[in-house]
Amino acid sequence: MSRKASDFLVKGIIYLATGITLSVLLFIVGFIFVKGIGLVNWDFLTRDFNEKVVYAFMESNDVPLGIDEETLSKKNPYDKRYETHLEGPIYIKNIGAAIAKVAYKNHSTEREQFVITYIEKDSPFHSVKDSTGKDIKIRTDYIVQSINGNDFSGMTLAEVAEAIAAESGELKVKIVQPGGGIKSNIITTLYMVLLSLLVALPLGVFGAIYLTEYAKPGRLVNMIRFAAECLAGIPSIIFGLFGMAFFVVALNFQISLISGSLTVAIILLPVIIRSTEEALKTVPMAFREGSLALGATKLQTIFKVVLPCAVPGIATAVLLSIGRVVGESAALLLTAGTVAQIPGTLFSPGSTLTVQAYYVAKEEGNIELACAIGIVIIVIVIVLNILSRITSDKLDVFNKR
Amino acid sequence: MDAKIKFNTKNLDLFYGDFQALKAINMEIREKEVTAFIGPSGCGKSTFLRCLNRMNDLIDSVKINGEIIFDGQDINGNIDVINLRTRVGMVFQKPNPFPMSIYENIAYGPKCQGQKDKTQLDTLVKESLMKAALWDEVKDRLNKSALGLSGGQQQRLCIARTIAMNPEVILMDEPTSALDPIATAKIEDLMSSLKKDFTIIIVTHSMQQAGRISDKTAFFLMGEVIEFNETPIIFTNPNDKRTEDYITGRFG
Ligand SMILES: Nc1ncnc2c1ncn2[C@@H]1O[C@H](COP(=O)(O)OP(=O)(O)OP(=O)(O)O)[C@@H](O)[C@H]1O
Ligand SMILES: [Mg+2]
């Protein structure tokens, strides 16, 4: 074969390989987006995952409508993916709020429901207590299901309005906070990122300082390095098993935020040690000598000169770590659980976005929802990337001329 | 009039592992003089210089025999190294300002010693920059990064940073070898003016430089001091044939 022909062939293979890689990537991201984008909206991000039923206790109080009918009918956001507007809204004076009838349909349930579309300024809905006497907040979007034991199912909107208007004095309203959102998962993910970094970053950075600045090169250092590298290569399910046996069971932390973040912190350690070490090694010896020659101690030299120079590298480590935490599912499944709730304390469980995506895909068979969560994960990773880029540029001492 | 002896080394040997880099060095360095070290590459000038403020501590393989008496005390003994380095400052071959502001570079040493008073630091920064003949060039950009300065300015900044510690001795290892002739001339001027306050020891590869600025010159060869004498004598009438060969450029 002539040289020209073989060159051409090799070039062709290179282009083909690049093309395939790129199109696979685009296809995956595209697939996730096309599948999931229909579900992603503000409600999806701000609602809890599970519906929550509360009984609202309040004093009825006639409040006239403060806006005109036309504006009221525009405050009616019900034509969404799962929700179709049927009737209304009708304004009801004694609760100072407007209600509309909406059909709700998702892949597993189908029903008709009455939702609050507007709450007047002085409405009794603003001073509501639950059955334990705690203040609760009622928002538009919430579903009303009964009043003083009078259930609305099967009624028309007009009948419901009548039933509500007929009541007076002390009201007991059954309210459902709609679910289907991933607010709690987003918040759990952020908690997990913060907590695991809070543990792993200082440990990793100090470990790296020991390895590069203090340890005499030799067998011990090599062994620590080898151990760190091995740790980095171990699949995360193993860490999950360890976390479950150690944090969850032995230390009795239960399946919780703290068990999850400590387990992930262990996974992060080698990443942080490695990149911090690399960053410290690139700091010129001349800076250390210059500092020592000025009568600075070794610690002063490390903290005032060497470490600031290594900040961009450490920022990279943080970045990689965030990616790891956001992407971690196996270990967290076993240690932090699959409960879609905002963990109230360190010892309550909570599922991160990836765990939730796994859970809805596997347990509920809802691929669409999993893809929607996937979109949010992708966006979060991109945003965190950009943020840490910016901060590392800002902190880069070599950038400030 | 005999000036006070600042450094006195007695039979100083230095080994990097098995390799002997300095051989039985005996040298008396006097206060407020400029002493120049010359000699071919690899003859141990830097190694010797770094002994004087214990910078060789950073290298694990180094072993030292003999004494280095600094103001009557052997610095290889059990002394406070940090204190020694505040008294014996060092300027390196390549300018190495820290990646901080000009102000912070100068204030770094005093701050490490616990100096916190802002007004005192301000005056100290100003005085040091003036002594290093850099004040006029940088007074409007004290809070800008030192990395934005030219090479020559950076080196004068490093000298200013050393002066700010008010040391007794300043060691300089080829401080002008990375600079152009104009910047070099400025630093040489600076050294002549610093001479009245400080004892200066300088390593240089330039005979002219040694001739211009130094009072005494030591000629090193293969880890030994071949000849140590008044600079004019070394350059016009050396005792040793090897010194003469080196100075006239017949080897090196
Ligand atoms: N860290 C080290 N480990 C081992 N050997 C070293 C080390 N530093 C220097 N040496 C050796 O010691 C000898 C003296 O080195 P030194 O740097 O003092 O020479 P120099 O006179 O300053 O040379 P130059 O003019 O090139 O700077 C050289 O042979 C060098 O190879
Ligand atoms: Mg040298």
Side-chain angles (χ1 to χ4, degrees):
Chain A
M1 199 162 39
S2 79
R3 198 158 100 180
K4 211 168 164 190
S6 67
D7 271 10
F8 188 77
L9 195 73
V10 171
K11 233 171 157 183
I13 293 174
I14 291 172
Y15 285 149
L16 195 69
T18 318
I20 290 176
T21 315
L22 206 65
S23 35
V24 166
L25 194 71
L26 283 178
F27 180 74
I28 293 175
V29 175
F31 179 84
I32 300 274
F33 266 87
V34 169
K35 265 278 191 195
I37 197 73
L39 283 182
V40 180
N41 55 37
W42 188 243
D43 287 340
F44 180 64
L45 298 178
T46 54
R47 282 182 180 178
D48 276 337
F49 188 76
N50 297 310
E51 289 184 347
K52 202 167 134 202
V53 178
V54 287
Y55 283 97
F57 293 89
M58 59 196 207
E59 198 68 38
S60 83
N61 173 23
D62 280 1
V63 184
L65 181 58
I67 56 174
D68 58 60
E69 287 289 337
E70 201 181 333
T71 331
L72 178 67
S73 68
K74 285 216 186 85
K75 286 186 188 292
N76 179 24
Y78 288 95
D79 260 313
K80 292 184 194 155
R81 183 137 183 114
Y82 288 155
E83 292 151 348
T84 327
H85 175 232
L86 296 175
E87 289 180 72
I90 295 183
Y91 183 74
I92 305 163
K93 256 203 251 147
N94 64 337
I95 55 168
I99 288 175
K101 189 173 185 182
V102 164
Y104 179 86
K105 178 175 184 292
N106 75 9
H107 70 288
S108 59
T109 43
E110 201 175 336
R111 62 171 185 240
E112 290 177 352
Q113 59 196 23
F114 301 95
V115 296
I116 303 171
T117 61
Y118 174 71
I119 300 177
E120 189 54 66
K121 254 209 286 327
D122 305 319
S123 161
F125 272 135
H126 288 307
S127 44
V128 171
K129 297 202 183 311
D130 67 4
S131 50
T132 63
K134 231 173 55 197
D135 280 327
I136 50 174
K137 236 179 141 54
I138 305 296
R139 297 199 170 84
T140 57
D141 223 30
Y142 284 12
I143 301 158
V144 286
Q145 282 192 336
S146 75
I147 188 157
N148 290 355
N150 184 358
D151 198 276
F152 299 154
S153 48
M155 289 189 186
T156 65
L157 184 61
E159 285 164 354
V160 169
E162 224 170 276
I164 295 175
E167 301 289 339
S168 65
E170 182 76 25
L171 303 180
K172 179 188 173 196
V173 187
K174 185 181 179 190
I175 289 194
V176 177
Q177 297 179 2
I182 54 167
K183 179 176 87 180
S184 58
N185 307 110
I186 295 178
I187 291 176
T188 308
T189 306
L190 294 180
Y191 279 172
M192 202 65 84
V193 168
L194 283 180
L195 279 174
S196 52
L197 277 178
L198 207 65
V199 176
L201 195 63
L203 284 182
V205 169
F206 283 118
I209 288 177
Y210 172 76
L211 286 179
T212 42
E213 309 289 330
Y214 283 98
K216 295 226 160 34
R219 200 170 282 164
L220 179 68
V221 172
N222 287 341
M223 231 153 75
I224 296 175
R225 251 185 222 126
F226 181 71
E229 246 146 74
C230 285
L231 277 184
I234 292 175
S236 59
I237 186 76
I238 308 276
F239 290 103
L241 292 172
F242 164 77
M244 191 147 126
F246 187 66
F247 297 125
V248 177
V249 179
L251 294 185
N252 201 18
F253 286 170
Q254 309 298 347
I255 295 216
S256 63
L257 191 59
I258 184 94
S259 302
S261 48
L262 289 177
T263 308
V264 176
I266 298 175
I267 299 179
L268 296 186
L269 263 182
V271 181
I272 295 178
I273 290 184
R274 249 334 257 284
S275 11
T276 308
E277 236 194 307
E278 291 305 318
L280 289 174
K281 274 192 207 146
T282 58
V283 178
M285 209 47 207
F287 288 162
R288 295 185 178 86
E289 290 190 333
S291 169
L292 291 172
L294 285 169
T297 63
K298 188 157 181 172
L299 263 186
Q300 285 172 330
T301 303
I302 292 171
F303 280 96
K304 292 182 169 192
V305 176
V306 180
L307 217 47
C309 294
V311 160
I314 296 173
T316 314
V318 170
L319 182 78
L320 289 172
S321 312
I322 292 174
R324 256 330 261 273
V325 184
V326 173
E328 188 52 64
S329 52
L332 288 176
L333 205 60
L334 296 178
T335 52
T338 54
V339 187
Q341 63 167 24
I342 299 174
T345 69
L346 283 176
F347 295 95
S348 12
S351 64
T352 62
L353 286 164
T354 29
V355 172
Q356 193 65 22
Y358 162 83
Y359 186 76
V360 297
K362 182 84 182 24
E363 304 293 322
E364 297 182 1
N366 192 347
I367 298 290
E368 211 180 12
L369 184 55
C371 284
I373 298 176
I375 294 176
V376 176
I377 295 174
I378 292 174
V379 170
I380 288 183
V381 168
I382 292 174
V383 167
L384 290 177
N385 259 291
I386 294 171
L387 277 184
S388 57
R389 262 288 151 85
I390 294 173
T391 41
S392 92
D393 277 356
K394 280 251 155 64
L395 293 174
D396 188 348
V397 283
F398 295 98
N399 252 342
K400 293 188 204 129
R401 290 275 155 132
Chain B
M1 183 195 76
D2 230 16
K4 196 176 139 207
I5 293 171
K6 205 71 190 161
F7 274 111
N8 191 0
T9 70
K10 291 179 183 161
N11 267 321
L12 183 73
D13 292 329
L14 184 144
F15 298 85
Y16 289 113
D18 294 334
F19 172 73
Q20 186 167 10
L22 296 178
K23 293 166 196 159
I25 302 219
N26 292 294
M27 195 184 291
E28 287 177 1
I29 294 168
R30 280 164 203 281
E31 193 170 35
K32 299 200 176 151
E33 281 186 349
V34 178
T35 307
F37 296 168
I38 59 171
S41 198
C43 63
K45 308 178 294 289
S46 301
T47 302
F48 182 62
L49 197 72
R50 290 163 61 91
C51 286
L52 302 180
N53 66 345
R54 296 253 315 243
M55 283 311 270
N56 285 326
D57 287 10
L58 304 189
I59 302 164
D60 291 328
S61 63
V62 166
K63 296 228 163 30
I64 295 177
N65 298 327
E67 288 175 31
I68 305 173
I69 311 292
F70 172 59
D71 273 357
Q73 204 181 12
D74 184 2
I75 62 168
N76 285 326
N78 200 359
I79 55 131
D80 180 356
V81 180
I82 303 298
N83 179 273
L84 171 72
R85 289 184 187 144
T86 62
R87 294 169 66 193
V88 183
M90 187 165 212
V91 176
F92 297 82
Q93 177 171 3
K94 254 181 73 194
N96 58 349
F98 304 130
M100 322 167 173
S101 70
I102 294 170
Y103 182 96
E104 287 301 327
N105 260 281
I106 311 269
Y108 180 83
K111 274 188 179 173
C112 282
Q113 296 306 314
Q115 172 68 271
K116 288 200 187 80
D117 189 286
K118 178 90 174 74
T119 42
Q120 282 190 36
L121 282 174
D122 284 351
T123 24
L124 188 60
V125 167
K126 183 171 178 185
E127 274 172 11
S128 311
L129 283 169
M130 294 234 247
K131 277 192 202 153
L134 191 59
W135 174 250
D136 287 330
E137 290 160 66
V138 301
K139 61 171 183 280
D140 300 324
R141 48 194 286 204
L142 289 178
N143 291 317
K144 293 268 162 55
S145 169
L147 301 182
L149 297 173
S150 74
Q153 288 172 327
Q154 287 187 4
Q155 194 63 304
R156 273 180 287 152
L157 179 71
C158 292
I159 294 174
R161 178 170 90 175
T162 308
I163 295 172
M165 297 302 296
N166 197 22
E168 294 153 43
V169 183
I170 302 179
L171 310 174
M172 299 184 174
D173 195 350
E174 303 182 47
T176 60
S177 66
L179 305 179
D180 65 63
I182 295 172
T184 302
K186 280 194 180 151
I187 295 218
E188 286 182 11
D189 288 347
L190 176 58
M191 279 188 274
S192 338
S193 72
L194 292 178
K195 195 165 112 174
K196 36 183 211 314
D197 299 320
F198 305 99
T199 307
I200 296 178
I201 306 172
I202 176 174
V203 173
T204 178
H205 271 283
S206 152
M207 306 303 147
Q208 291 88 341
Q209 189 169 62
R212 279 193 298 267
I213 60 174
S214 69
D215 304 306
K216 295 253 176 67
T217 297
F219 172 59
F220 282 70
L221 189 62
M222 313 257 290
E224 284 174 272
V225 175
I226 303 299
E227 197 168 348
F228 178 48
N229 215 328
E230 303 287 331
T231 301
I233 298 179
I234 293 274
F235 280 93
T236 52
N237 190 15
N239 278 328
D240 198 290
K241 176 80 170 57
R242 290 168 293 181
T243 314
E244 190 182 344
D245 285 349
Y246 181 72
I247 282 160
T248 51
R250 248 167 284 173
F251 77 84

